[in-house]
Amino acid sequence: MTIDEHAPTSAGVTAAAGFRAAGVTAGLKPSGRPDLALVVNDGPSQAAAAVFTTNRVVGAPVVWSRQVVSDGVVSAVVLNSGGANVCTGPDGFLDVHVTAEKVGTALEVSPGDVVVCSTGLIGERLPIDTLLAGVDLAVEALSPDGGPDAAVAIMTTDTVPKTAHVHVDGEQGGWTVGGMAKGAGMLAPGLATMLCVITTDAVLDAETAASALRAATAQTFDRIDSDGCMSTSDTVTLLVSGASRAVPEPADFTAALTQVCAELARALVADAEGATHDIAVTVTGAQTQDAGLAVARAVTRSNLFKAAMFGNDPNWGRVLAQVGTVPESVAAFDPDQLDVTINGVQVCKAGVAFRPRSEVDLAANREVHVLIDLHAGDEAVTVWTNDLTHDYVHENSAYST
Amino acid sequence: MTIDEHAPTSAGVTAAAGFRAAGVTAGLKPSGRPDLALVVNDGPSQAAAAVFTTNRVVGAPVVWSRQVVSDGVVSAVVLNSGGANVCTGPDGFLDVHVTAEKVGTALEVSPGDVVVCSTGLIGERLPIDTLLAGVDLAVEALSPDGGPDAAVAIMTTDTVPKTAHVHVDGEQGGWTVGGMAKGAGMLAPGLATMLCVITTDAVLDAETAASALRAATAQTFDRIDSDGCMSTSDTVTLLVSGASRAVPEPADFTAALTQVCAELARALVADAEGATHDIAVTVTGAQTQDAGLAVARAVTRSNLFKAAMFGNDPNWGRVLAQVGTVPESVAAFDPDQLDVTINGVQVCKAGVAFRPRSEVDLAANREVHVLIDLHAGDEAVTVWTNDLTHDYVHENSAYST
């Protein structure tokens, strides 16, 4: 297959044919910024799949939307910022139901085919009348070019909207995968904390869509960990319109979908709250993928390591100290065989200081590459994270007040 | 038994009879502050026990000292700040060996009975000649009142020395447990990152000492988690002189030892790098101790929760979001039954917002008490942590440079 990222004329969720979208200001945010997005699948297919947070405490929208996608059919996704609708009890669930009813009535689709996503503060009811009035505005604003507007309306502490798409050429003009995501904090694996809608005009059934989505998110959103904190609202929905009439090989579709997810995941890291560095922690020589992942995640969760990165201090001892916390039952390695390389400079060889840390230049680039060789196998895994900064502390010490 | 905290005339490791200690300036620290401590057990008993970090990456001193305590006999503990001697390879191990030889010769004890502890930066060799000259100074300075000096010499980023002791009255004058600890960062369970020496003049064998020490640390040092980062050097050594001739009931001894450990652990939290709040996260209604511990630790490791505490923002949604990350196989609970109370104000009842967060006053006190009721059993567990502050980020972004 040939991937061409520039063929579609629209962007984000409207890059693929068969979709309309809108982003409007309902008035949920005190800032007056756009806060309500709507994505509609005009078909002919309405196949869909979704993955959700693995948190046991979830918002009412997650409870509702899990049910909606269970039959593999979704007609629309409505997303609001300005409130997460989590820990709001039966009243909060009713708010979700009423929202889906409103969207269903306006679009003449079943409310049971409307996914609802909410993001914002936990523990506060949404002003439901404001939200419902916003749905009317959004329906009115729906457009085949509405993808970029929708991407803006789902932003919370994000500083830039995040969209991506790939176009795959083919005999009848090919097919497209497009998407949008939001998330700048509570970004941790299983799944990265965020809301994301991905659309495609390829022809595929719900089962194929679901398996492709699981594979793509496992390699992308599950491998970013900005701050180790898992959200209660993570939702990634994949909508299939089939409007291109093109039927891709499942593997080709998974590859294109993975690329869109990877771009969006990378964009989330690049916009993480207060971060000054995007840090790729790559573990090589792992016996298994799970072992490599466990080691990489241990390092990406170290506040001491992340604070050192903020200080442009290649303090690799903090890397080794985290590697050592992973139990032998989880990851095989000999502590006396560990190598660490930071931005190309091997600072630790076989568990002992090697080239001087002064040779490592961290200040020059936002990206930092930390390479850990376990010398225990052939698997390699990369997890992205951010540094721990004054701005992260500042933003998150004053979020709800 | 009657615990009287004020009977001994000396403090820290010399509160118990049969011990001498010293703290001197060897010159390992650029600051010129005291950096070498020595604790000597003059007997008649030399029974001992120790617990070490569970990190798989450990310093040469840990490798050496594990061997030293394996026979239950320790004559002296030498501790230096100014360098951790971790990831220093065979040369670093030789440095430990030479240090123990030097102490052994000076005190006329076997080098194989000398525990060595080091704390500071990972990956750098210690200036061994400076260290050995410091040992001479320390031996010369040994005194039955040297406990407070020793506690000063093991400080790194600590702002105050930490000592504690309890005296238990008895027929022949009773017995005493005293101790000192250092640690202000890399404080995480299994074991809290620090160096600690505890002494007692009670009469007990090495096996009883070991089982009391395991029980005491599990309830104290294992239940503080300042920053989620486990060290490579943690060592808690218990030395038994038997000089009081008093033979306590094992349960009484464990109780007194637990009290000393609890005081030292609390002092570590109170002096954690950059912290403005000490936060007790108590989980009640847990089915098992392990379940409660897992939930408490999940909360104490949340950067978002800890940053909110710094901002005096009772953002309890971040508490619930962390509780929800604990798998069902680890801790049974119904997310719709969770209660959260912060500083006496119940902000969440049965998983839903209850009293308004504005009623919670966090600014008034350094201590914060978060109570989570799982409603799944009768066990209760408390883990102490700190808030995530600008000063934490500052201190740890510039540690090695």
Coordinates of all heavy atoms in Angstrom, one line a residue, chain B residues 111-181:
Chain B
P111 N 36.8 -7.4 60.1 CA 36.2 -6.6 59.0 C 34.9 -7.2 58.6 O 34.0 -6.5 58.1 CB 37.2 -6.7 57.9 CG 38.5 -7.1 58.6 CD 38.2 -7.9 59.8
G112 N 34.8 -8.5 58.7 CA 33.6 -9.2 58.3 C 32.4 -9.0 59.2 O 31.3 -9.5 59.0
D113 N 32.6 -8.2 60.3 CA 31.5 -7.8 61.2 C 31.3 -6.3 61.1 O 30.6 -5.8 62.0 CB 31.9 -8.2 62.7 CG 31.9 -9.8 62.8 OD1 31.2 -10.5 62.0 OD2 32.6 -10.2 63.8
V114 N 31.7 -5.7 60.1 CA 31.5 -4.3 59.9 C 30.6 -4.0 58.8 O 30.9 -4.3 57.6 CB 32.9 -3.5 59.7 CG1 32.6 -2.0 59.4 CG2 33.8 -3.7 60.8
V115 N 29.4 -3.4 59.1 CA 28.4 -3.0 58.1 C 28.9 -1.7 57.5 O 29.3 -0.8 58.2 CB 27.0 -2.9 58.7 CG1 26.1 -2.1 57.8 CG2 26.4 -4.3 58.9
V116 N 28.8 -1.6 56.1 CA 29.1 -0.3 55.5 C 27.9 0.2 54.7 O 27.2 -0.5 54.0 CB 30.3 -0.5 54.5 CG1 30.6 0.8 53.8 CG2 31.5 -1.1 55.2
C117 N 27.6 1.5 55.0 CA 26.5 2.2 54.3 C 27.0 3.4 53.6 O 27.7 4.2 54.2 CB 25.4 2.5 55.3 SG 24.7 1.1 56.2
S118 N 26.5 3.7 52.4 CA 26.9 4.9 51.7 C 25.7 5.5 51.0 O 24.8 4.8 50.6 CB 27.9 4.6 50.6 OG 29.1 4.0 51.1
T119 N 25.7 6.8 51.0 CA 24.5 7.5 50.4 C 25.0 8.8 49.6 O 26.0 9.4 50.0 CB 23.5 7.9 51.4 OG1 22.5 8.7 50.8 CG2 24.1 8.8 52.6
G120 N 24.4 9.0 48.5 CA 24.8 10.2 47.7 C 24.5 9.8 46.2 O 23.6 9.1 45.9
L121 N 25.3 10.4 45.3 CA 25.1 10.2 43.9 C 25.5 8.8 43.5 O 26.4 8.2 44.0 CB 26.0 11.3 43.1 CG 25.7 11.5 41.7 CD1 24.3 11.9 41.4 CD2 26.7 12.5 41.1
I122 N 24.7 8.3 42.5 CA 25.0 7.0 41.9 C 26.0 7.1 40.8 O 26.0 8.1 40.1 CB 23.7 6.3 41.4 CG1 22.8 6.0 42.5 CG2 24.0 5.1 40.5 CD1 21.4 5.6 42.1
G123 N 27.0 6.2 40.7 CA 27.8 6.1 39.5 C 29.1 6.8 39.6 O 29.8 7.0 38.6
E124 N 29.5 7.2 40.8 CA 30.8 7.9 41.0 C 31.6 7.1 42.1 O 31.0 6.8 43.1 CB 30.6 9.3 41.4 CG 29.6 10.1 40.5 CD 30.1 11.3 39.9 OE1 30.9 12.1 40.5 OE2 29.8 11.5 38.7
R125 N 32.9 7.0 41.9 CA 33.7 6.4 42.9 C 33.9 7.3 44.0 O 33.9 8.5 43.9 CB 35.2 6.1 42.3 CG 35.2 5.0 41.3 CD 35.3 3.6 42.0 NE 36.4 3.4 42.8 CZ 37.6 3.1 42.5 NH1 37.9 3.0 41.2 NH2 38.6 2.9 43.4
L126 N 34.0 6.8 45.2 CA 34.3 7.6 46.4 C 35.8 7.9 46.4 O 36.6 7.0 46.0 CB 33.9 6.8 47.7 CG 32.5 6.7 48.0 CD1 32.2 5.6 49.0 CD2 31.9 8.0 48.4
P127 N 36.2 9.0 47.0 CA 37.7 9.3 47.2 C 38.1 8.5 48.4 O 38.0 8.9 49.5 CB 37.7 10.8 47.4 CG 36.4 11.2 47.9 CD 35.4 10.2 47.4
I128 N 38.7 7.3 48.1 CA 38.9 6.3 49.2 C 39.9 6.8 50.2 O 39.7 6.5 51.4 CB 39.2 5.0 48.6 CG1 39.2 3.9 49.6 CG2 40.5 5.0 47.8 CD1 37.8 3.6 50.2
D129 N 40.9 7.5 49.8 CA 41.9 8.0 50.8 C 41.3 9.0 51.8 O 41.5 8.9 53.0 CB 43.1 8.6 50.1 CG 43.9 7.6 49.3 OD1 43.8 6.4 49.6 OD2 44.6 8.0 48.4
T130 N 40.4 9.8 51.2 CA 39.7 10.8 52.1 C 38.8 10.0 53.1 O 38.7 10.4 54.3 CB 38.8 11.7 51.2 OG1 39.7 12.3 50.2 CG2 38.2 12.8 52.0
L131 N 38.1 9.0 52.6 CA 37.2 8.2 53.4 C 38.0 7.5 54.5 O 37.6 7.5 55.7 CB 36.5 7.2 52.5 CG 35.5 6.3 53.2 CD1 34.4 7.0 54.0 CD2 34.8 5.4 52.1
L132 N 39.1 6.9 54.2 CA 39.9 6.1 55.1 C 40.5 7.1 56.2 O 40.5 6.7 57.4 CB 41.0 5.3 54.5 CG 40.5 4.2 53.5 CD1 41.7 3.5 52.9 CD2 39.6 3.3 54.2
A133 N 40.9 8.2 55.8 CA 41.4 9.2 56.8 C 40.3 9.6 57.7 O 40.5 9.8 58.9 CB 42.0 10.4 56.1
G134 N 39.1 9.7 57.2 CA 37.9 10.0 58.0 C 37.6 9.0 59.0 O 37.1 9.3 60.1
V135 N 37.9 7.7 58.6 CA 37.6 6.6 59.6 C 38.5 6.8 60.8 O 38.1 6.7 62.0 CB 37.9 5.3 59.0 CG1 37.9 4.1 60.0 CG2 36.8 5.0 57.9
D136 N 39.8 7.2 60.6 CA 40.7 7.5 61.8 C 40.1 8.6 62.7 O 40.1 8.5 63.9 CB 42.0 7.9 61.3 CG 42.9 6.8 60.8 OD1 42.7 5.6 61.3 OD2 43.7 7.0 59.9
L137 N 39.6 9.7 62.0 CA 39.0 10.8 62.8 C 37.8 10.3 63.6 O 37.6 10.6 64.7 CB 38.5 11.9 61.8 CG 39.6 12.7 61.1 CD1 38.9 13.7 60.2 CD2 40.4 13.5 62.2
A138 N 37.0 9.4 63.0 CA 35.8 9.0 63.6 C 36.1 8.0 64.8 O 35.5 8.1 65.8 CB 34.9 8.2 62.6
V139 N 37.1 7.2 64.6 CA 37.4 6.3 65.7 C 37.9 7.1 66.9 O 37.6 6.8 68.1 CB 38.5 5.3 65.2 CG1 39.1 4.5 66.4 CG2 38.0 4.3 64.2
E140 N 38.7 8.1 66.6 CA 39.2 9.0 67.7 C 38.0 9.7 68.4 O 38.1 10.0 69.6 CB 40.1 10.0 67.0 CG 41.2 10.5 67.9 CD 42.3 11.3 67.0 OE1 42.7 10.7 65.9 OE2 42.6 12.4 67.3
A141 N 37.0 10.0 67.6 CA 35.9 10.8 68.2 C 34.8 10.0 68.9 O 33.8 10.5 69.4 CB 35.3 11.7 67.1
L142 N 35.0 8.7 68.8 CA 33.9 7.8 69.4 C 33.6 8.2 70.8 O 34.5 8.4 71.6 CB 34.3 6.3 69.3 CG 34.2 5.6 68.0 CD1 34.9 4.3 68.0 CD2 32.7 5.5 67.5
S143 N 32.3 8.2 71.1 CA 31.9 8.6 72.5 C 30.5 8.0 72.8 O 29.7 7.8 71.9 CB 31.8 10.1 72.5 OG 30.8 10.6 73.4
P144 N 30.3 7.7 74.1 CA 29.0 7.2 74.5 C 27.9 8.2 74.3 O 26.7 8.0 74.5 CB 29.1 6.8 75.9 CG 30.6 6.9 76.2 CD 31.2 7.8 75.2
D145 N 28.3 9.5 74.0 CA 27.3 10.5 73.7 C 27.3 11.0 72.2 O 26.8 12.0 71.9 CB 27.6 11.7 74.6 CG 27.3 11.4 76.0 OD1 26.3 10.8 76.3 OD2 28.2 11.8 76.9
G146 N 27.9 10.1 71.4 CA 28.1 10.5 70.0 C 26.9 10.4 69.1 O 27.0 10.7 67.9
G147 N 25.8 9.9 69.6 CA 24.6 9.6 68.8 C 24.2 10.8 67.9 O 24.0 10.7 66.7
P148 N 24.0 12.0 68.6 CA 23.5 13.1 67.8 C 24.5 13.5 66.7 O 24.1 13.9 65.6 CB 23.4 14.2 68.8 CG 23.1 13.5 70.1 CD 23.9 12.2 70.0
D149 N 25.8 13.5 66.9 CA 26.8 13.8 65.9 C 26.7 12.8 64.7 O 26.8 13.2 63.6 CB 28.2 13.7 66.5 CG 28.6 14.9 67.4 OD1 27.8 15.8 67.4 OD2 29.6 14.8 68.1
A150 N 26.6 11.5 65.1 CA 26.4 10.5 64.0 C 25.2 10.8 63.1 O 25.3 10.7 61.9 CB 26.3 9.1 64.6
A151 N 24.1 11.2 63.8 CA 22.9 11.5 63.0 C 23.1 12.7 62.0 O 22.5 12.7 61.0 CB 21.7 11.8 64.0
V152 N 23.9 13.6 62.4 CA 24.2 14.8 61.6 C 25.1 14.4 60.4 O 24.9 14.8 59.2 CB 24.9 15.9 62.3 CG1 25.5 17.0 61.4 CG2 23.9 16.5 63.3
A153 N 26.0 13.5 60.6 CA 27.0 13.1 59.6 C 26.4 12.3 58.4 O 27.0 12.2 57.4 CB 28.2 12.4 60.2
I154 N 25.2 11.7 58.7 CA 24.6 10.9 57.6 C 23.6 11.7 56.8 O 23.0 11.1 55.8 CB 24.0 9.6 58.1 CG1 22.8 9.9 59.1 CG2 25.0 8.7 58.8 CD1 22.1 8.7 59.6
M155 N 23.4 12.9 57.1 CA 22.5 13.7 56.3 C 22.9 14.0 54.9 O 24.1 14.2 54.6 CB 22.2 15.1 57.0 CG 21.5 15.0 58.3 SD 21.7 16.5 59.3 CE 20.9 17.8 58.3
T156 N 22.0 14.0 53.9 CA 22.3 14.4 52.6 C 21.5 15.7 52.3 O 21.9 16.8 52.6 CB 22.0 13.3 51.5 OG1 20.7 12.8 51.8 CG2 23.0 12.2 51.7
T157 N 20.3 15.5 51.7 CA 19.5 16.7 51.5 C 18.5 16.9 52.7 O 17.7 17.8 52.7 CB 18.6 16.6 50.2 OG1 17.8 15.4 50.3 CG2 19.5 16.5 49.0
D158 N 18.7 16.1 53.7 CA 17.9 16.3 55.0 C 18.2 17.7 55.5 O 19.4 18.2 55.4 CB 18.4 15.3 56.0 CG 18.4 13.9 55.5 OD1 19.2 13.5 54.7 OD2 17.6 13.1 56.1
T159 N 17.2 18.3 56.1 CA 17.5 19.6 56.7 C 17.7 19.5 58.2 O 18.2 20.5 58.8 CB 16.3 20.6 56.4 OG1 15.1 20.1 57.1 CG2 16.0 20.7 54.9
V160 N 17.2 18.4 58.8 CA 17.4 18.2 60.2 C 17.8 16.8 60.4 O 17.4 15.9 59.7 CB 16.1 18.4 61.0 CG1 15.8 19.9 61.0 CG2 15.0 17.6 60.5
P161 N 18.7 16.5 61.5 CA 19.0 15.1 61.8 C 17.8 14.4 62.4 O 16.9 15.1 63.0 CB 20.2 15.3 62.8 CG 20.0 16.6 63.4 CD 19.3 17.5 62.4
K162 N 17.7 13.1 62.3 CA 16.6 12.4 62.8 C 17.0 11.3 63.8 O 17.7 10.4 63.4 CB 15.8 11.7 61.7 CG 15.0 12.6 60.8 CD 15.7 12.8 59.4 CE 14.9 13.7 58.6 NZ 15.7 14.2 57.4
T163 N 16.6 11.5 65.0 CA 16.9 10.5 66.0 C 15.6 10.2 66.8 O 14.7 11.0 66.8 CB 18.0 10.9 67.1 OG1 17.5 12.1 67.8 CG2 19.3 11.3 66.4
A164 N 15.6 9.0 67.4 CA 14.4 8.7 68.3 C 14.9 7.6 69.3 O 15.9 6.9 69.0 CB 13.3 8.1 67.4
H165 N 14.2 7.5 70.4 CA 14.5 6.4 71.3 C 13.3 6.2 72.2 O 12.5 7.1 72.4 CB 15.8 6.7 72.1 CG 15.7 7.8 73.1 ND1 16.2 9.1 72.7 CD2 15.1 7.9 74.3 CE1 16.0 9.9 73.8 NE2 15.3 9.2 74.7
V166 N 13.2 5.0 72.7 CA 12.2 4.7 73.8 C 12.9 3.9 74.8 O 13.8 3.1 74.6 CB 11.0 3.9 73.3 CG1 10.3 4.7 72.1 CG2 11.3 2.5 72.8
H167 N 12.5 4.2 76.1 CA 13.0 3.5 77.2 C 11.9 2.7 77.8 O 10.8 3.2 78.0 CB 13.6 4.4 78.3 CG 14.2 3.7 79.4 ND1 15.4 3.0 79.4 CD2 13.6 3.5 80.7 CE1 15.6 2.5 80.6 NE2 14.5 2.8 81.4
V168 N 12.1 1.4 78.1 CA 11.1 0.6 78.7 C 11.5 0.2 80.1 O 12.6 -0.4 80.3 CB 10.8 -0.7 77.9 CG1 9.7 -1.5 78.5 CG2 10.4 -0.3 76.5
D169 N 10.7 0.6 81.1 CA 11.0 0.4 82.5 C 11.0 -1.1 82.8 O 10.2 -1.8 82.2 CB 10.1 1.1 83.4 CG 10.4 2.6 83.5 OD1 11.6 2.9 83.3 OD2 9.5 3.4 83.7
G170 N 11.8 -1.5 83.8 CA 11.8 -2.9 84.2 C 12.5 -3.1 85.5 O 12.9 -2.1 86.1
E171 N 12.6 -4.4 86.0 CA 13.1 -4.6 87.3 C 14.5 -4.2 87.5 O 14.9 -3.6 88.5 CB 12.9 -6.1 87.6 CG 11.4 -6.5 87.8 CD 11.2 -7.9 88.1 OE1 12.2 -8.6 88.4 OE2 10.1 -8.4 88.0
Q172 N 15.3 -4.4 86.5 CA 16.8 -4.1 86.7 C 17.1 -2.7 86.0 O 18.2 -2.5 85.5 CB 17.7 -5.1 86.1 CG 17.5 -6.5 86.7 CD 16.9 -7.4 85.7 OE1 16.5 -7.0 84.6 NE2 16.7 -8.7 86.1
G173 N 16.1 -1.8 85.9 CA 16.4 -0.5 85.2 C 15.9 -0.4 83.8 O 15.9 0.6 83.2
G174 N 15.4 -1.6 83.3 CA 14.8 -1.5 82.0 C 15.7 -1.6 80.8 O 16.9 -1.9 81.0
W175 N 15.2 -1.3 79.7 CA 16.1 -1.3 78.5 C 15.6 -0.3 77.5 O 14.5 0.3 77.6 CB 16.0 -2.7 77.8 CG 14.6 -3.2 77.7 CD1 13.9 -3.9 78.7 CD2 13.7 -3.1 76.6 NE1 12.6 -4.2 78.2 CE2 12.5 -3.8 76.9 CE3 13.9 -2.6 75.3 CZ2 11.4 -3.8 76.0 CZ3 12.8 -2.7 74.4 CH2 11.6 -3.3 74.7
T176 N 16.5 0.0 76.5 CA 16.3 1.1 75.6 C 16.4 0.7 74.2 O 17.3 -0.1 73.9 CB 17.3 2.3 76.0 OG1 17.0 2.7 77.3 CG2 17.2 3.4 75.0
V177 N 15.7 1.3 73.3 CA 15.9 1.2 71.9 C 16.1 2.6 71.3 O 15.3 3.5 71.6 CB 14.7 0.6 71.1 CG1 15.0 0.5 69.6 CG2 14.4 -0.8 71.7
G178 N 17.2 2.9 70.6 CA 17.4 4.2 70.1 C 17.8 4.1 68.6 O 18.1 3.0 68.1
G179 N 17.7 5.2 67.9 CA 18.0 5.0 66.4 C 18.2 6.4 65.8 O 17.9 7.4 66.3
M180 N 18.8 6.3 64.6 CA 19.0 7.5 63.7 C 18.6 7.1 62.3 O 18.8 5.9 61.9 CB 20.4 8.0 63.8 CG 21.4 7.1 63.2 SD 23.1 7.9 63.3 CE 24.1 6.6 62.5
A181 N 18.2 8.0 61.5 CA 17.9 7.8 60.1 C 18.2 9.0 59.3 O 18.2 10.1 59.8 CB 16.5 7.3 59.9

